[in-house]
Amino acid sequence: MYTIGALSKATGVKVPTIRYYEEIGLLAEPGRNAGNQRRFDQAGMDALGFIKHARDLGFSLDDIRALMGLDGQLGDDCAEADQIARSQLENVRERIAKLEQLARELERISHLCDGGNGGCCKVLTALGDHSQCAGDHG
């Protein structure tokens, strides 16, 4: 059995986050000891590990809830899990493309400035006037 502090330390998930996951029903409420302290079993540890890993991969809480509701058997559950993972992959690819676009624009803007201290700062001017941007990144 694990206290919430031990669970937090073992998984790297902060105590308030563990409580939040309990509150929203993502993590089952554990039993309590005579002193009313939470006591998590290995299933709680495993579930929290699953949630943390899925969050690290960028899955939303709703997607994690859906994935946790699957029993892991081949067939419909596997197809649903695959669809959720593929959707997340597409989301990540879209964010990467957006970040690459932002990087190109920031690189372009940073080259506007020669680092001097006279006159008008071209970086600040570019940041203040979206029409000076090379493309849409908003």
Side-chain angles (χ1 to χ4, degrees):
M1 300 300 279
Y2 305 94
T3 64
I4 196 168
L7 194 68
S8 174
K9 187 174 183 178
T11 61
V13 178
K14 295 181 179 180
V15 169
T17 303
I18 296 171
R19 289 185 181 129
Y20 175 70
Y21 291 159
E22 282 182 75
E23 183 181 311
I24 64 171
L26 198 58
L27 190 61
E29 279 194 40
R32 293 184 180 259
N33 67 8
N36 203 30
Q37 290 182 316
R38 292 171 172 86
R39 293 289 186 216
F40 293 87
D41 59 12
Q42 188 60 47
M45 174 76 79
D46 294 344
L48 187 58
F50 181 96
I51 294 166
K52 178 166 186 344
H53 190 205
R55 292 296 287 158
D56 288 346
L57 290 170
F59 284 95
S60 70
L61 293 177
D62 287 338
D63 284 345
I64 294 169
R65 184 183 313 280
L67 289 165
M68 291 179 78
L70 302 175
D71 66 14
Q73 301 301 312
L74 294 178
D76 291 342
D77 284 352
C78 188
E80 186 176 348
D82 182 62
Q83 193 285 321
I84 292 169
R86 287 177 187 273
S87 177
Q88 178 58 18
L89 175 59
E90 184 58 32
N91 291 339
V92 168
R93 286 183 173 148
E94 287 172 7
R95 287 197 313 262
I96 289 169
K98 179 79 168 172
L99 288 170
E100 287 172 343
Q101 183 182 13
L102 289 173
R104 285 189 300 271
E105 184 61 20
L106 288 168
E107 185 173 9
R108 189 189 71 76
I109 289 173
S110 69
H111 286 113
L112 293 174
C113 183
D114 60 7
N117 57 6
C120 182
C121 177
K122 293 179 181 170
V123 170
L124 294 176
T125 300
L127 290 174
D129 184 0
H130 188 66
S131 69
Q132 292 189 26
C133 293
D136 183 30
H137 51 80

